[in-house]
Amino acid sequence: MTTDRLLPRALPHEVGVDPRGVHDLLDGLARRHITMHSLMLVRHGKVVAEGTWAPHRPEHAPLVYSLSKTFCSAAVGLAVADGAFSYDDRLVDLFADVVDAAGPVASRIRVRDCLAMATGHTRDDVFNPRTSRLAGRQPWRVALATEPEGVPGATFCYNQFATWTLAEVVRHATGRTVHELLVDRVFTPLGITGTSWDTDPARRVLGFSGLHVRPEGIARFFQLLLDDGVAAGERLLPVEWVTRHRQRHVETDSWAEPDWAQGYGWQVWHDTRGGYRGDGAFGQFGVVMPAQDAVLVLTASTERMQEVLDEVWASLLPAFDRAPDAGDGLAERLASLRLPTVWGERGATVGLTFENRTNRWRLVDDADGWQLRWVDQYGGDHQLAVGFGEWRTGTMRWSGRTLRVAASGAWVGWGHWVGHVVALDAPHSLLVRLRDDGSGRTEWVGPKPLGADSLYGLAPVD
């Protein structure tokens, strides 16, 4: 499968980028043992470096976690420009159909406060499993009945409630979800396809997370932000929102990480180099660098996000407008990126069963590795092709839910087989460890999913 190219291409030196800077970035990320999934660098509106680490591919549209927030913010801007509501509207008025009691502080929260993560809350605990399962607009009856501890419009607290609320305000005021609005008004004109947006337990689009989008779709959207909301001479995003979303609306200097302590806009972070970005858990980045007229997209699986940005600033920034290095070999290197497969032995022919208290497995050889049947506690009965020295793709299936994966495996010790299962729709992976005593277990590789351990159907660690 090929992915539509949404942006023109150029060689790095043609737009004033020394390829050595991209090499240095790749070297630095590898030296820090950052597990990367994709990289795309755009300058002057042209893609100059792009790569995905196999088994990830350009056409995959993974979960980008809180990078979704920037997209949700743009949908709010569209709705406001259409006259559906205003930035100064209060939540108690927008939810008047369900709110029957709200204190004086909660009654002051406006749409603009939600955009700036300045709702007055001081803890990220308003969105929780209990309230998220309430039907319709009932969660806001509960949320707005609880007084924030801080000052709306001034107290910053990064919280999911704010963006979740924005998504519901858009839906109720326009009759369309933030995803539907963006597909119609932004994604389709830009050629961005293959997106989806996860919902909460009551089937409301999350807003604060849940967007699945291809790396080039991220790059095309953030290039639109850099271009002031205009593409091919057509205004797609309203001037007021474009101007205000990238302004610093609230201070964030209590955060320890430097690039999270530079202030917050409307669902974007300011950085230490004069630009701004949307980002999501575990290394999903859309970085706007106005001084360089550049956009950088990274997707990854890491909890050390500041280190990723440290490496970008140290390695990549100096490459702009620097004399290029001849014979760079960058295209070949980017084309050969891959995650390491499980190192070990092929082993003898096998047909064995394993189990623990929540999972059962059967491992059988085939010509290219193994077939692993995995029955889990969630009702999943998965038949996975596992490669030896290579990644083989497949799908894990539960009732009403699927997860695309890739797997590699090997015998790593006497009587110890390991399969590495990588989610292609989310920045997560796990190991299946099977031993010759008939036992088995799973363990996360790197960060495990936020929220319930069963997110995307992946079994919890045993």
Side-chain angles (χ1 to χ4, degrees):
M1 177 181 179
T2 59
T3 302
D4 293 336
R5 291 191 163 194
L6 311 179
L7 292 163
R9 265 59 177 175
L11 296 174
H13 71 271
E14 294 174 335
V15 292
V17 177
D18 179 6
R20 184 72 253 163
V22 182
H23 280 293
D24 291 343
L25 176 59
L26 295 172
D27 290 342
L29 293 170
R31 186 169 55 251
R32 294 173 183 267
H33 303 288
I34 303 291
T35 300
M36 296 299 303
H37 293 169
S38 75
L39 174 151
M40 182 168 283
L41 176 64
V42 184
R43 194 180 198 204
H44 303 332
K46 298 178 180 179
V47 177
V48 299
E50 57 187 311
T52 53
W53 279 254
H56 299 278
R57 295 181 55 83
E59 64 266 22
H60 294 160
L63 170 68
V64 295
Y65 277 113
S66 286
L67 187 58
S68 310
K69 290 180 170 70
T70 308
F71 291 84
C72 182
S73 178
V76 173
L78 291 169
V80 169
D82 291 344
F85 53 88
S86 80
Y87 296 122
D88 288 317
D89 281 348
R90 301 184 309 159
L91 297 190
V92 290
D93 298 323
L94 294 169
F95 290 91
D97 55 314
V98 294
V99 172
D100 50 19
V105 179
S107 296
R108 289 162 47 195
I109 304 173
R110 302 162 297 175
V111 169
R112 67 171 63 250
D113 302 328
C114 292
L115 284 165
M117 292 290 185
T119 59
H121 295 95
T122 58
R123 299 185 305 274
D124 185 13
D125 59 4
V126 184
F127 179 87
N128 59 63
R130 182 175 62 85
T131 58
S132 67
R133 285 175 168 79
L134 296 174
R137 289 158 62 80
Q138 291 303 311
W140 288 273
R141 180 196 300 273
V142 175
L144 292 173
T146 304
E147 284 284 76
E149 302 86 349
V151 179
T155 302
F156 175 81
C157 176
Y158 189 79
N159 68 94
Q160 314 309 330
F161 167 76
T163 323
W164 187 48
T165 297
L166 294 171
E168 174 58 19
V169 168
V170 170
R171 186 207 64 78
H172 187 72
T174 69
R176 310 173 77 187
T177 68
V178 292
H179 186 224
E180 291 168 339
L181 196 58
L182 288 169
V183 167
D184 181 44
R185 303 276 291 278
V186 179
F187 292 172
T188 298
L190 293 179
I192 299 173
T193 60
T195 62
S196 62
W197 209 312
D198 296 331
T199 59
D200 63 30
R203 304 191 66 80
R204 294 169 294 242
V205 168
L206 289 172
F208 63 83
S209 183
L211 178 63
H212 293 252
V213 58
R214 295 167 181 156
E216 186 155 357
I218 301 170
R220 188 66 191 90
F221 178 78
F222 277 83
Q223 181 65 41
L224 179 67
L225 302 186
L226 181 59
D227 291 337
D228 296 326
V230 176
E234 179 183 2
R235 173 155 297 284
L236 300 182
L237 293 172
V239 173
E240 183 179 18
W241 179 84
V242 169
T243 302
R244 293 190 176 190
H245 92 278
R246 59 196 178 196
Q247 295 173 344
R248 183 182 289 103
H249 292 277
V250 64
E251 298 301 324
T252 61
D253 49 15
S254 62
W255 283 59
E257 298 90 346
D259 282 295
W260 278 261
Q262 307 305 312
Y264 199 72
W266 279 356
Q267 308 286 291
V268 293
W269 296 90
H270 285 252
D271 64 43
T272 56
R273 297 303 188 272
Y276 68 94
R277 70 188 184 280
D279 64 42
F282 313 129
Q284 325 316 311
F285 288 104
V287 183
V288 178
M289 297 178 275
Q292 291 76 27
D293 190 28
V295 168
L296 177 65
V297 171
L298 300 169
T299 64
S301 179
T302 181
E303 294 178 298
R304 293 177 288 130
M305 293 173 62
Q306 181 63 60
E307 290 189 39
V308 174
L309 292 176
D310 289 344
E311 200 58 58
V312 170
W313 310 144
S315 300
L316 186 60
L317 277 190
F320 290 104
D321 300 317
R322 185 175 68 191
D325 184 17
D328 59 272
L330 179 61
E332 294 80 3
R333 181 175 183 181
L334 290 169
S336 66
L337 295 171
R338 67 196 301 260
L339 299 181
T341 55
V342 178
W343 184 90
E345 302 293 332
R346 178 71 170 87
T349 301
V350 65
L352 299 172
T353 58
F354 310 83
E355 65 179 325
N356 60 24
R357 57 191 176 83
T358 55
N359 298 273
R360 298 195 310 275
W361 299 272
R362 180 166 177 77
L363 185 68
V364 179
D365 285 75
D366 69 11
D368 299 308
W370 299 268
Q371 291 292 323
L372 177 67
R373 184 182 180 189
W374 178 4
V375 179
D376 66 39
Q377 63 180 319
Y378 303 107
D381 190 343
H382 322 290
Q383 187 72 38
L384 300 180
V386 182
F388 175 66
E390 64 176 351
W391 295 99
R392 298 172 70 185
T393 58
T395 304
M396 299 180 71
R397 302 181 187 277
W398 300 261
S399 176
R401 186 147 204 174
T402 61
L403 177 71
R404 293 183 303 168
V405 299
S408 78
W411 291 95
V412 301
W414 185 259
H416 183 192
W417 184 88
V418 173
H420 188 182
V421 182
V422 173
L424 302 177
D425 298 319
H428 303 291
S429 65
L430 54 75
L431 299 181
V432 177
R433 295 187 179 275
L434 307 178
R435 297 184 179 274
D436 61 0
D437 63 0
S439 66
R441 69 186 303 268
T442 59
E443 62 185 59
W444 295 106
V445 179
K448 71 177 183 178
L450 294 177
D453 287 345
S454 58
L455 183 66
Y456 295 98
L458 292 175
V461 173
D462 287 298

